Amino acid sequence: MKDSTPKDKRPGWDDYFIKIAYLVSERSTCLRRKVGAVLVKDKRILATGYNGAPAGIVHCEVTGCLREKLNVPSGERHELCRGLHAEQNALLQAALYGVSVKGAVLYVTVTPCIICAKMIINAGVKEVVIDGDYPDKMAKEFLKEAGVKVRRING
């Protein structure tokens, strides 16, 4: 006899990879915002990254957040942060292990900042799939000018 109850619906590729990006973001040590990123090519994960202090550096959970102490608005004065962004960490992990990201798709929980946008462009990433927004107009303009497709899902 056949089971008449519907099977669990498999997620589409976008939902699958963005959910993985959210899972990756749970490793973040940032006190302000947890961000996750997943680099994908041909439906295969190349590298992941989350925002936080570099390896071997004390986490913000211990030192506190200088940007919070100085009331720096989101999207400004990135140089005052101890951490790397999720996109940066994903690109660096790929580089560390010799994995080309040319033509890859980057799934990230929020829109990249201008610093990450420039790295994404020069790394040859062809598309960025986001779920949330980040207040950086220049980043969006750069990605568009460079021909990097930005697509928002679930919104």
Side-chain angles (χ1 to χ4, degrees):
M1 181 165 135
K2 270 190 164 177
D3 184 5
S4 61
T5 59
K7 300 272 185 206
D8 288 336
K9 187 177 177 185
R10 289 178 69 193
W13 289 111
D14 283 345
D15 286 335
Y16 175 71
F17 291 124
I18 204 71
K19 285 178 182 178
I20 292 171
Y22 276 104
L23 180 61
V24 169
S25 77
E26 293 179 20
R27 293 277 308 149
S28 170
T29 58
C30 181
L31 301 173
R32 292 180 82 166
R33 178 189 318 247
K34 297 193 177 302
V35 179
V38 180
L39 279 162
V40 175
K41 191 168 185 181
D42 299 326
K43 298 180 183 156
R44 302 288 180 250
I45 295 173
L46 302 176
T48 65
Y50 53 86
N51 56 329
I57 303 294
V58 177
H59 295 297
C60 302
E61 297 166 319
V62 176
T63 65
C65 178
L66 180 60
R67 290 167 53 85
E68 278 292 315
K69 290 174 189 166
L70 297 175
N71 286 325
V72 176
S74 186
E76 297 179 15
R77 302 291 315 269
H78 299 288
E79 75 279 6
L80 295 176
C81 181
R82 293 179 63 81
L84 291 158
H85 288 184
E87 303 93 322
Q88 294 168 345
N89 272 323
L91 291 168
L92 289 167
Q93 286 300 307
L96 185 64
Y97 292 101
V99 176
S100 172
V101 298
K102 185 177 182 180
V105 177
L106 177 68
Y107 288 84
V108 64
T109 55
V110 295
T111 310
C113 73
I114 185 59
I115 296 167
C116 292
K118 291 185 278 188
M119 292 178 166
I120 289 163
I121 292 163
N122 274 7
V125 172
K126 70 175 182 180
E127 181 178 14
V128 178
V129 180
I130 60 168
D131 188 37
D133 203 23
Y134 185 76
D136 197 326
K137 184 179 174 187
M138 185 181 270
K140 294 170 188 166
E141 291 170 356
F142 269 47
L143 291 167
K144 183 178 181 178
E145 183 180 340
V148 177
K149 181 178 178 183
V150 178
R151 189 165 46 89
R152 184 170 184 161
I153 60 172
N154 301 325

